[in-house]
Amino acid sequence: MASSPSSTRSVQISLISYGHANGPIVQQQKPPAKYHKTLSYSIRHLPNPPRHLRVKATGLSRRLQKEFLQNDDVEAFLLKVRGEILNVVKKGGDLLSAISEGEQDENKNGESGDGDINEQPSPENTEDINIVVTICCEEGRHRSVAFVEELARRLGNLKDEDDDFPQHWQVSINVMHRDIGGNDNEGEQSLGQNQRPNKAQAKTRQRDRREKEDRLNSSSETTGNFLASNYST
């Protein structure tokens, strides 16, 4: 790499899963990074996990992920995507180093075959390198979700598994699953199970039950008084 050994870079990699059937990913604007690149992949050609797993859970299920990832074609594509992301990150670092060292070339105008260089003043704490990776399957609920989850795990080990990757670079991985409304903190999401209600919901239900019981008791007392009055008459 052309990057100086002492230069520190902040790298943000955003991984987004989505379904082809639900429309493309629409990015409102590019993140305010010094170098930005978007990579898009379709994995609709990869085999689906077993149907009985897809019916009960999304790609957040560890069991579904295991079944999906054991396929050789899936493993090969994971290696391909991870390698291409790593190459783009390194190229971004090289371009930024060349600019900072005053090495002027055709990228000076802000366009690069490898991505976009942002020459405008950047806000404080802006990432040096921002890579957005979109992964689509058919519905965006199983293959793309499982693929992104595993890709995030492997990218999180860049410093440990890649000897050429600068150890002093700061790398953050963001995960978003557009078509299941999930994120990397949800864990397994089963379609056939309801989520446990929170405390506020539980209190509301208890209050509704008490009010209903009070109305029933009041109605019973009124009816009893009416009958007693008629009987006395």
Side-chain angles (χ1 to χ4, degrees):
M1 294 180 64
S3 301
S4 170
S6 60
S7 62
T8 299
R9 299 291 183 197
S10 59
V11 181
Q12 178 171 291
I13 304 175
S14 299
L15 308 176
I16 306 173
S17 73
Y18 72 101
H20 172 79
N22 301 319
I25 292 289
V26 179
Q27 290 184 260
Q28 299 298 327
Q29 60 182 9
K30 294 179 181 178
K34 297 177 182 177
Y35 175 86
H36 172 76
K37 177 72 173 178
T38 297
L39 301 174
S40 300
Y41 299 93
S42 171
I43 60 170
R44 295 162 67 197
H45 64 286
L46 296 178
N48 257 316
R51 186 177 184 279
H52 70 277
L53 294 178
R54 288 185 280 125
V55 169
K56 295 181 179 180
T58 69
L60 293 174
S61 164
R62 293 291 289 173
R63 183 181 177 190
L64 186 146
Q65 291 174 20
K66 182 179 179 180
E67 289 289 337
F68 177 63
L69 296 171
Q70 68 183 1
N71 184 278
D72 291 341
D73 292 338
V74 175
E75 175 64 23
F77 205 73
L78 269 167
L79 292 175
K80 166 185 165 65
V81 173
R82 181 186 180 278
E84 291 181 358
I85 293 173
L86 183 58
N87 287 337
V88 169
V89 171
K90 290 179 178 179
K91 288 177 181 178
D94 290 344
L95 287 170
L96 293 178
S97 294
I99 291 175
S100 65
E101 294 169 4
E103 298 176 9
Q104 305 300 326
D105 55 20
E106 67 272 16
N107 298 317
K108 182 175 177 59
N109 293 327
E111 294 296 328
S112 164
D114 299 315
D116 293 337
I117 295 293
N118 181 11
E119 294 187 342
Q120 300 299 320
S122 300
E124 190 176 356
N125 298 326
T126 295
E127 289 82 13
D128 292 315
I129 301 172
N130 186 289
I131 310 298
V132 176
V133 183
T134 64
I135 307 290
C136 87
C137 61
E138 189 60 34
E139 298 292 339
R141 301 186 61 82
H142 302 104
R143 287 173 292 179
S144 61
V145 174
F147 192 95
V148 162
E149 289 290 315
E150 179 63 20
L151 184 59
R153 281 190 284 269
R154 298 191 184 194
L155 290 174
N157 296 326
L158 276 178
K159 294 183 180 181
D160 298 329
E161 298 181 358
D162 194 297
D163 295 335
D164 294 332
F165 196 86
Q167 296 297 307
H168 52 279
W169 282 20
Q170 299 174 354
V171 181
S172 62
I173 311 295
N174 295 332
V175 171
M176 185 184 82
H177 302 301
R178 188 193 71 175
D179 293 334
I180 63 172
N183 55 53
D184 50 355
N185 294 323
E186 279 191 329
E188 180 172 344
Q189 175 179 329
S190 298
L191 302 182
Q193 298 178 354
N194 295 324
Q195 294 183 348
R196 186 176 181 179
N198 58 34
K199 292 182 178 180
Q201 292 173 328
K203 289 182 179 179
T204 300
R205 292 179 181 178
Q206 290 176 358
R207 184 176 66 251
D208 291 342
R209 283 197 297 269
R210 285 197 299 268
E211 291 176 353
K212 184 177 180 180
E213 290 173 357
D214 291 342
R215 288 195 299 269
L216 290 174
N217 291 335
S218 176
S219 176
S220 298
E221 291 177 0
T222 301
T223 302
N225 292 336
F226 175 77
L227 292 174
S229 175
N230 287 341
Y231 181 79
S232 299
T233 302

